[in-house]
Amino acid sequence: MPGEAAAGDVGAGAVTVLRWLERPCRQGVTWGVPWPRGAVRPGTPFALAGGVPVQSWTTATWPDGSVKWSAHAIGPQAAPAGSYELIPGAGPAAPQEPVTVTRDGDVLRVSTGPVAWALSGTDLITSVTYGGAEIAREVRLVSLRQDTPDEDGSRVREPYTGRISRIVVEQDGPVRAVVRLEGRHVPDRGPAGDAGKDAGETLGKGLGEALGKDAGEAAGEDASWLPFTVRLYFYAGAADVRVVHSFVWDGDASRDFLAGLGLRARVVMRDALHDRHVRLAGAEGFLTEAVRGLTGLRRDPGEAVRRAQAEGRPVGEIGDPEVAGRLHLIPAWNDYTLDQGSADGFTLRKRTAPGHAWVTVPAGTRSRGYGYVGGAGGGLGFGLRDFWRLHPTRLDIRGAATDLATAVVWLWSPGAPPMDLRFWHDGMGQDTHAGQLEGLEITYEDHEPGFGDPHGVARTHELTLRACPATPPAAELAEYAALLESPGLLTVTPGRMRMAGVFGTWSPPDRSVPAAAAIEDRLDFLSDFYARQREERRWYGFWDYGDVMHAYDPDRHTWRYDVGGYAWDNSELSPDLWLWYQYLRTGRADVFRLAEAMTRHTGEVDVYHLGRWKGLGSRHNVQHWGCSCKQLRVSNAAYRRFLYYLTADERTGDLLDELAAPEETFLALDPLRKVRRDVYTPDPAALSVGLGVDWGALAAAWLTRWERHGDERARDRLLGTMAGIGALPYGFLTGEARLDLVTGRFDTTREAVDVSHLSALFGLPEICAELIDLELGVPGFERAWLDYCRLYLAPAERQAAEVGRALSGISMIQAHSRLAAYAAARTGDAELARLAWRKFFHDEGDQLNVNPLQREPGWRLTEVRGPAVLMPVTEAPFVSTNDAAQYGLAAIQNLALVGDELATT
């Protein structure tokens, strides 16, 4: 872009142009920016041209201590610019209304200028005031626990409420403040189902006693459940707060059934009933209601009155006595519910009071998940991002005709069947490893009794609360709903991203060569295809949204949603990496959103966050947690780093911090326990670590922790194991090494040669490229990696000449072509470059494992209609997620490494 810094000129005083991912937006925004090594020294301030106040901090550093990634935040802008210029070395402007965080006795007070938010030890937010007038109070988490799955018609539901045990101020302004709250849900035994008084008495009288106290201690471990973390994001000048809620499932799937999970707020109602308003978002606009309606009456109050009420303004004096004298005879609608039971439809209903029948309201398809309750004198906006995608969800308004209304955003609707997390089959007699391996041969499911347990999986939701001084006009409400759906994000161009030298091997698209243009078309085809499949196949729902299916069943014209290990993909063969690299190089917003949703899902649902498998993820299955293969290859930090660095998202940072000591997970479970030919028990002094899938995930976690926190332990383990691999006689070709947990070093005496086709398919090439680019000075490491890259696809005679025998188990030829390309680029070997492209196009090699993508030269979509399908769909039977992800990664890296050879291939 004009005026942007050129390569080698990104440092103090240089300008980096920031552009919007989608469109300019008026909300507070946080984003990340990468910097070339040595360009920005520690402690360098940042400013935005034009005097826009910005808050900045460092999220990662290079080994020399210079800034690798910085994060920045701006408050809401009345007229946001189309782009911004970020200048390192200049002091930032101060906001006119800085966000402040102060302690007032036992209360934490956050002021954003127009709005004051009070936090205490009982609720997430104790009170919300706008201009001194209280808008809302008692913002808290609520849940319903049910004792049966409701299959026999009998049930007992017990209300719970979230109790705060810890409050931490992570940032305190001046542009952005972040407050983290932690706690658990406890039985709600307060009057009328209100646990506020109970919780306050148990925890103490406020913030001072809440800090540091464990909720389980206060309530009793047997009574509490669903540990949660909530972050509240405040921006200078903002009237809204962003709420990021994460909870971990710690129930017993056989007897605990979650029947409701929500965020509740009390809303102060001061206005006359006909000046109170309810707004609930539909697929396009809003349900526009007054608690006491003045439209459609037999007696007309006048156009001015009707228009004012419909637009959410005070109606003023009602001049017609025929109407004014009969207001008490017009029903007041007290309660409203919008229930999104599926991705295809929501229902609406309202009633005048408890004990009276509900009246149905015309229904719709996909609610945007935003609501408002209040009046001309103020009210509360509230909503849930991806509302219909994360069904079953619900918006409730209760007591709108009373002095204190209640608004609830339900993350799991109480109107839906309770959440049933029991395992999906009875085991079918697969009680031994031999039986389980036999099952693997037919359904590809790696079953083991007791291993399909969801205890420890998590889910994150993003919500918003907005204090409004009056009922917002329809256009403003629509804007709030749009911002909730696609939050604003600033980013740099792909060229500027590449200039920084982050994330290893990739380059922006170059269509100047016809063969490269054809590959780019196919890369676009694949990302577009998965976006389309998500919609057509309805890959939505509380636990499912963000993931994709593993393999296709052309006979039934459906993905294999019900076949063992062929159903949900759970990061198998790195679709996360493929989508993120495709975003980096193209800057496409739709690809970013695909990758963002996948990272949110795979980092939470597919990974254990507490319990015996904490830190491990589950291989692909009909249920996300169903497979007995629990490995670091799924909880891989390599899959989360992109979202963290691009957005500075603290929750993603939590997931990375859970992997502070990833090597210790090998004590919990031996990944090879079912197929070992040797006798092995996990030994802290000699832990079996695969040098492909396992070490790649370890290295990603250690590298990320080192660059984020300067963690010397992580650095030493990374460098030590790199040196160990370099010292092994056959390097990466050894396949496995034994790790001493105390020293963090490998035993380097092993001389075996053992190659797996999976070793390089879970982020190992990408992490090795980053490590080599860092020039860490580890003897033998680059040589060991280049040997692996050279020999994997080499002729059998060359393999035998170098390591004593031909390598066995060679497959996934196209995926591994990028290894040959990497070796070619590092060594300048033109023949290796040509080999890489031959193997990519697969005109030779292991035909039994030929990539199915290559069987369909046209890469066409087929439309399927008629009685064989539930509804019209498009299919590409030659596509599986394994092949799509690895085609994408190989194409991207080959183009970056040896793209020049395409013109002669």
Side-chain angles (χ1 to χ4, degrees):
M1 296 181 67
E4 190 165 5
D9 187 28
V10 179
V15 171
T16 288
V17 177
L18 307 170
R19 63 185 182 92
W20 292 98
L21 176 68
E22 288 160 318
R23 61 189 178 279
C25 75
R26 297 195 297 162
Q27 69 182 161
V29 177
T30 300
W31 72 96
V33 176
W35 301 95
R37 179 165 29 187
V40 178
R41 303 311 304 168
T44 299
F46 293 88
L48 288 178
V52 177
V54 62
Q55 182 172 317
S56 305
W57 61 101
T58 299
T59 51
T61 57
W62 293 96
D64 66 0
S66 63
V67 176
K68 185 175 185 180
W69 283 90
S70 60
H72 311 273
I74 58 173
Q77 307 293 305
S83 63
Y84 293 91
E85 294 181 346
L86 181 67
I87 307 170
Q96 290 184 345
E97 293 181 305
V99 59
T100 61
V101 182
T102 58
R103 183 169 303 195
D104 181 7
D106 291 332
V107 179
L108 199 68
R109 299 194 184 278
V110 182
S111 172
T112 61
V115 183
W117 313 77
L119 288 67
S120 75
T122 302
D123 303 308
L124 296 179
I125 302 172
T126 308
S127 69
V128 184
T129 58
Y130 194 112
E134 187 177 31
I135 298 295
R137 65 179 71 150
E138 298 174 25
V139 179
R140 63 180 56 168
L141 297 172
V142 294
S143 61
L144 295 169
R145 189 176 195 165
Q146 188 166 309
D147 61 345
T148 71
D150 210 17
E151 291 174 345
D152 59 1
S154 64
R155 69 182 187 191
V156 175
R157 283 187 170 182
E158 184 178 5
Y160 280 67
T161 188
R163 175 178 294 167
I164 308 303
S165 62
R166 179 176 167 85
I167 302 177
V168 177
V169 178
E170 295 184 327
Q171 286 189 335
D172 59 1
V175 174
R176 177 188 193 251
V178 183
V179 180
R180 186 180 81 242
L181 305 101
E182 301 169 1
R184 297 174 65 87
H185 286 248
V186 298
D188 186 345
R189 300 191 178 98
D194 182 355
K197 183 177 179 181
D198 250 5
E201 291 174 352
T202 305
L203 272 179
K205 296 185 177 180
L207 177 67
E209 293 183 46
L211 289 173
K213 181 180 283 288
D214 185 88
E217 293 175 6
E221 286 295 340
D222 292 339
S224 67
W225 75 326
L226 302 184
F228 61 83
T229 299
V230 171
R231 279 187 173 86
L232 305 177
Y233 292 85
F234 306 92
Y235 289 87
D240 64 319
V241 59
R242 178 171 175 251
V243 182
V244 176
H245 166 269
S246 305
F247 85 102
V248 180
W249 171 264
D250 67 340
D252 180 340
S254 67
R255 59 183 177 85
D256 295 322
F257 301 89
L258 185 63
L261 177 65
L263 177 69
R264 187 192 73 193
R266 307 289 198 199
V267 185
V268 178
M269 307 293 282
R270 300 184 182 86
D271 299 277
L273 294 178
H274 51 265
D275 282 336
R276 299 184 184 184
H277 309 118
V278 169
R279 304 288 186 262
L280 293 171
E284 183 172 344
F286 283 78
L287 175 74
T288 302
E289 298 268 321
V291 171
R292 181 166 61 197
L294 299 178
T295 63
L297 300 174
R298 184 176 184 184
R299 302 292 183 184
D300 184 4
E303 181 182 358
V305 170
R306 287 185 281 107
R307 181 178 298 172
Q309 188 177 71
E311 293 177 355
R313 295 181 285 107
V315 303
E317 183 179 353
I318 302 174
D320 187 340
E322 295 288 337
V323 177
R326 296 187 175 96
L327 292 179
H328 64 288
L329 296 175
I330 301 174
W333 296 97
N334 193 65
D335 304 332
Y336 291 77
T337 288
L338 186 155
D339 220 325
Q340 185 81 49
S342 74
D344 294 306
F346 64 83
T347 58
L348 272 166
R349 53 189 177 138
K350 64 181 185 179
R351 68 182 179 185
T352 56
H356 296 277
W358 289 93
V359 174
T360 57
V361 181
T365 52
R366 293 172 169 177
S367 168
R368 301 180 80 180
Y370 197 86
Y372 169 85
V373 62
L380 186 72
F382 51 91
L384 171 65
R385 186 183 181 193
D386 294 318
F387 183 78
W388 59 267
R389 296 179 181 89
L390 290 168
H391 67 82
T393 50
R394 183 159 123 176
L395 299 179
D396 275 349
I397 294 171
R398 300 288 184 267
T402 70
D403 293 339
L404 200 62
T406 300
V408 188
V409 181
W410 290 101
L411 315 180
W412 185 277
S413 169
M419 187 185 293
D420 189 348
L421 303 184
R422 294 173 295 177
F423 192 65
W424 66 285
H425 65 70
D426 65 3
M428 298 175 288
Q430 299 175 70
D431 298 325
T432 65
H433 287 175
Q436 293 150 24
L437 292 173
E438 189 70 15
L440 187 69
E441 291 298 320
I442 187 66
T443 65
Y444 204 38
E445 183 185 25
D446 191 355
H447 174 70
E448 190 167 344
F451 276 66
D453 187 355
H455 186 97
V457 303
R459 198 43 157 145
T460 287
H461 294 78
E462 300 176 43
L463 305 96
T464 187
L465 298 174
R466 178 179 291 271
C468 302
T471 300
E476 282 190 22
L477 282 170
E479 181 183 15
Y480 300 155
L483 290 174
L484 178 64
E485 184 84 357
S486 296
L489 183 68
L490 286 163
T491 186
V492 299
T493 64
R496 170 61 180 78
M497 188 82 68
R498 185 71 196 101
M499 184 197 310
V502 293
F503 295 131
T505 305
W506 60 277
S507 60
D510 180 357
R511 295 177 174 270
S512 59
V513 175
I519 294 172
E520 295 292 351
D521 289 344
R522 291 188 169 191
L523 287 170
D524 290 341
F525 173 95
L526 288 173
S527 60
D528 293 346
F529 175 68
Y530 274 88
R532 184 169 183 166
Q533 289 297 287
R534 181 174 70 180
E535 169 60 16
E536 291 184 353
R537 310 295 177 160
R538 300 303 193 266
W539 291 339
Y540 302 122
F542 186 99
W543 291 112
D544 297 335
Y545 175 59
D547 205 355
V548 298
M549 286 279 168
H550 181 284
Y552 196 70
D553 182 350
D555 296 311
R556 290 187 291 167
H557 304 291
T558 186
W559 292 79
R560 303 184 208 178
Y561 67 94
D562 59 348
V563 182
Y566 286 116
W568 291 113
D569 190 72
N570 286 32
S571 295
E572 183 71 357
L573 270 61
S574 305
D576 325 57
L577 287 181
W578 156 50
L579 290 174
W580 280 122
Y581 279 111
Q582 183 65 355
Y583 163 71
L584 291 179
R585 60 198 303 272
T586 64
R588 285 177 49 177
D590 57 338
V591 177
F592 178 93
R593 296 302 184 192
L594 273 174
E596 176 190 32
M598 180 174 287
T599 303
R600 272 283 189 241
H601 169 91
T602 58
E604 302 280 4
V605 180
D606 300 344
V607 175
Y608 289 94
H609 307 272
L610 54 78
R612 57 177 170 162
W613 300 313
K614 181 178 180 180
L616 297 175
S618 294
R619 172 184 170 271
H620 40 105
N621 192 265
V622 169
Q623 287 174 311
H624 296 285
W625 46 81
C627 185
S628 72
C629 178
K630 314 294 187 186
Q631 288 195 19
L632 277 176
R633 78 190 207 190
V634 180
S635 57
N636 200 333
Y639 300 152
R640 325 284 176 237
R641 301 165 73 231
F642 299 87
L643 183 62
Y644 175 74
Y645 289 133
L646 291 166
T647 67
D649 176 63
E650 280 83 1
R651 174 55 187 171
T652 308
D654 290 346
L655 302 182
L656 294 170
D657 285 339
E658 288 178 2
L659 297 172
E663 65 276 17
E664 294 177 2
T665 61
F666 289 88
L667 288 171
L669 200 66
D670 174 22
L672 302 178
R673 65 193 180 282
K674 296 185 183 182
V675 296
R676 279 198 177 277
R677 295 184 294 271
D678 58 346
V679 177
Y680 171 78
T681 301
D683 179 354
L687 281 176
S688 171
V689 173
L691 298 181
V693 169
D694 295 339
W695 186 82
L698 289 171
W702 288 327
L703 172 61
T704 306
R705 186 152 185 91
W706 178 21
E707 63 188 11
R708 286 185 63 213
H709 300 297
D711 188 324
E712 294 183 359
R713 177 184 182 277
R715 177 202 62 195
D716 291 346
R717 298 203 166 220
L718 175 63
L719 299 182
T721 54
M722 288 173 66
I725 293 170
L728 284 166
Y730 298 109
F732 280 98
L733 294 165
T734 310
E736 177 187 312
R738 299 299 167 94
L739 178 69
D740 186 328
L741 274 188
V742 174
T743 65
R745 299 294 187 270
F746 282 135
D747 176 356
T748 60
T749 62
R750 183 177 171 90
E751 295 191 15
V753 173
D754 188 7
V755 173
S756 168
H757 68 291
L758 293 179
S759 291
L761 305 187
F762 288 85
L764 181 66
E766 293 73 21
I767 286 297
C768 284
E770 283 200 56
L771 293 174
I772 291 170
D773 285 346
L774 289 176
E775 299 177 345
L776 297 172
V778 179
F781 180 80
E782 182 175 3
R783 176 198 52 77
W785 179 238
L786 291 179
D787 286 347
Y788 191 89
C789 293
R790 285 189 307 103
L791 291 175
Y792 188 92
L793 295 180
E797 57 271 20
R798 180 176 299 171
Q799 294 171 347
E802 294 206 30
V803 300
R805 66 175 177 82
L807 303 180
S808 60
I810 301 298
S811 65
M812 301 296 291
I813 303 300
Q814 186 178 67
H816 284 85
S817 67
R818 70 188 191 272
L819 273 63
Y822 185 81
R826 295 296 293 187
T827 64
D829 188 329
E831 179 52 39
L832 266 178
R834 290 189 286 272
L835 173 70
W837 282 120
R838 286 200 305 272
K839 298 299 187 180
F840 177 80
F841 291 120
H842 213 93
D843 60 357
E844 61 181 70
D846 184 355
Q847 295 299 313
L848 294 176
N849 288 283
V850 64
N851 192 310
L853 295 177
Q854 296 301 321
R855 297 177 184 165
E856 191 73 30
W859 283 45
R860 295 182 297 271
L861 293 177
T862 303
E863 186 176 29
V864 183
R865 290 177 171 270
V869 290
L870 288 170
M871 56 186 182
V873 296
T874 53
E875 64 180 12
F878 54 93
V879 174
S880 77
T881 301
N882 280 3
D883 296 319
Q886 288 299 312
Y887 177 94
L889 288 169
I892 289 167
Q893 291 172 43
N894 287 353
L895 287 169
L897 292 163
V898 293
D900 292 346
E901 283 292 328
L902 268 180
T904 60
T905 299

